[in-house]
Amino acid sequence: MRCGDDGVRLAAAELGAELGERATLVQFSSAFCAPCRATRRLLGEVAALVPGVAHVEIDAEAHLGLVRELEILRTPTVLVLDADGRVVRRAAGQPRKADVIAALGEAV
């Protein structure tokens, strides 16, 4: 997971869901993406494990404006947001659980 996007912030209105109390895992997915399904399960497990963390999945094809704005180039792409919605980490491709948990450590 690479470092954040220099002050980029996302709000609940842009995500279509409320931010987590402590952090939010935002996953950009597409319909026929097998790694997206595995990533959905992984991020759901992590969000259930860590109090105050939400998991939001966004259909990249249905949100092309946001995809372009955030320069999402492939799915899955995962953004880790802090409590204020600031992007603190980003990863393209299927992340490892240990990397997601480590990235959450920076966000909370």
Side-chain angles (χ1 to χ4, degrees), residues 54-91:
H55 171 223
V56 177
E57 187 172 6
I58 295 175
D59 179 351
E61 295 168 49
H63 295 86
L64 289 177
L66 188 57
V67 165
R68 287 185 190 109
E69 180 184 331
L70 296 171
E71 299 177 0
I72 305 297
L73 303 177
R74 62 185 280 207
T75 58
T77 291
V78 177
L79 306 178
V80 179
L81 312 182
D82 65 12
D84 296 324
R86 187 174 56 89
V87 178
V88 296
R89 283 282 194 211
R90 163 192 284 253

Side-chain angles (χ1 to χ4, degrees), residues 18-25 46-55 80-86 88 101 103-108:
E18 291 299 313
L19 294 172
E21 184 180 306
R22 298 175 66 204
T24 306
L25 301 169
V46 172
L49 187 70
V50 183
V53 174
H55 171 223
V80 179
L81 312 182
D82 65 12
D84 296 324
R86 187 174 56 89
V88 296
I101 292 170
L104 278 175
E106 292 182 37
V108 296

